[in-house]
Each structure stands twice: as C-alpha cells, then as structure tokens.
Amino acid sequence: AILAQAAALNKHSPQHPLVPVATTFTSKDDVLLEGPCVCVRGICNGISIACKESCKCCSGACAFMKDMWNQSLGAIYTKPMGGYVIFSWMAMILTIVVALLSYTQIKCEGSETDKKLTTTKAALLIACAVAVVHMLVAFWMQRQIVKEMCKKMDEEYEEKQTPPEERTYEIIDNEAGRKRSAICEILK
C-alpha cells in the first residue's frame, strides 16, 4: 500500500509545485527514508507559493507603508546614524509613555509618605525631560555628523574640481571611516 501511494505521487505533473521531480521510490526503505523529506519539501514549496501569492495581493498595502515610511522618517533613517536616531526616538517615546502612566497612578493622600510620593513624581517628570533631551541630542548629533561629512566631501570635490551643481554627496566609499572622522571632529 505504501509503494502504491508513492507511485501515485510520482505520476503527478513535473510542474506540480508540491512534488519534486526527482522523487522515485523503489522499495519500502526508500519510502521510509525519503518520504519525510518529500513531505517537508512539499510543505515548504506550498508555504513559498502561499507567501508569493499573498505578496501579490498585499502589494498595494506594502507600497503604501514604504511610501509612508520614506515620506515621514525615511530622510532621517537613510542618513548616517539614522538607525540610532530612530531607535532612540522609539525608546524615549516608550520611556515617556511609561513615566507618564506611572505618574498618573501615584496618589498623594497627605500622609507621611506624601513627601516620598512627591519625590517619585518629580523623578518621573525628570525622566520625561531627560528622554526629550536625549531625542533632541540624537537628532542634533546626526545633523552635525552629516554637516561635517558634507564639509569633507566639499574639500574632496574641490580637489577634483567638480562644479557645485554636479556634487551628489553620495557616500560611495569608506562610509565607516567618514562617520568616525566626522564624530571625532564634532567631539573636539
């Protein structure tokens, strides 16, 4: 019965996505050894086809999300240190939300612990202020790095005598070295 089922599998069209072309079973041992592999390959091929088809269906939504990202945060993310800036913003927004929620949950009732609770509330507000400063400094630092890198690239363009209207400011080589150099100049 197992050999008959395996033979039936081999009769499918080679274009059928779930059955590999090279699958041939000659004995029960082959079915036992290779059967699970054929099943797993079939499952993987099926999942692959389902994913490809769902991408066709959702391509409009994916394109919308990509455009929304590029129009809102893409200009920051694509510049040097962009991942750091975006991650810092997300982490600090989370910090602010948690601190403000905690602030609203603390009740000062006029007891001896009132001073401790007031101090705690003040600490939460300070945490919010520090988070905002951290967000601004991350953005400022990125701007300073880009400014310094553009200054160095201007010097390179002037050495090559490239007219200003032909300067693209695209970082093609030594991106990490350019970032390090810009950061060192800022920290001086």
Side-chain angles (χ1 to χ4, degrees):
I2 294 175
L3 287 176
Q5 290 174 351
L9 280 175
N10 286 332
K11 290 181 183 177
H12 284 279
S13 166
Q15 277 73 29
H16 192 278
L18 300 179
V19 179
V21 178
T23 305
T24 55
F25 298 120
T26 56
S27 69
K28 288 183 180 180
D29 292 336
D30 287 346
V31 172
L32 294 175
L33 293 174
E34 294 182 28
C37 295
V38 171
C39 290
V40 170
R41 270 187 251 139
I43 291 168
C44 290
N45 286 340
I47 291 171
S48 173
I49 290 169
C51 287
K52 287 177 186 172
E53 293 302 316
S54 68
C55 285
K56 289 178 186 175
C57 177
C58 299
S59 65
C62 292
F64 173 74
M65 292 298 289
K66 182 179 176 184
D67 288 343
M68 185 176 70
W69 174 265
N70 286 336
Q71 290 175 2
S72 58
L73 299 174
I76 295 167
Y77 185 74
T78 57
K79 288 185 172 61
M81 305 293 288
Y84 169 75
V85 173
I86 299 296
F87 180 76
S88 293
W89 286 359
M90 291 180 352
M92 294 303 106
I93 288 171
L94 180 64
T95 300
I96 291 169
V97 168
V98 170
L100 291 177
L101 285 174
S102 298
Y103 184 87
T104 61
Q105 297 299 316
I106 296 174
K107 306 288 187 227
C108 297
E109 298 293 330
S111 63
E112 185 61 37
T113 60
D114 187 36
K115 290 181 183 179
K116 291 180 184 177
L117 293 176
T118 304
T119 305
T120 303
K121 281 188 161 188
L124 290 170
L125 292 176
I126 290 170
C128 290
V130 168
V132 170
V133 169
H134 183 85
M135 291 169 64
L136 294 174
V137 167
F139 184 70
W140 174 82
M141 186 72 141
Q142 182 190 40
R143 297 289 144 226
Q144 295 303 313
I145 290 170
V146 169
K147 181 178 160 185
E148 191 63 37
M149 290 173 75
C150 286
K151 191 186 310 180
K152 295 285 185 191
M153 292 175 86
D154 275 335
E155 292 172 6
E156 292 174 12
Y157 283 132
E158 288 173 8
E159 287 176 11
K160 294 177 184 176
Q161 297 178 343
T162 305
E165 59 273 357
E166 293 179 14
R167 298 177 183 181
T168 61
Y169 296 99
E170 290 182 38
I171 302 170
I172 298 170
D173 60 338
N174 194 17
E175 181 177 351
R178 290 178 185 274
K179 285 180 192 175
R180 277 192 301 273
S181 171
I183 291 170
C184 287
E185 286 297 318
I186 293 168
L187 295 176
K188 284 185 178 177

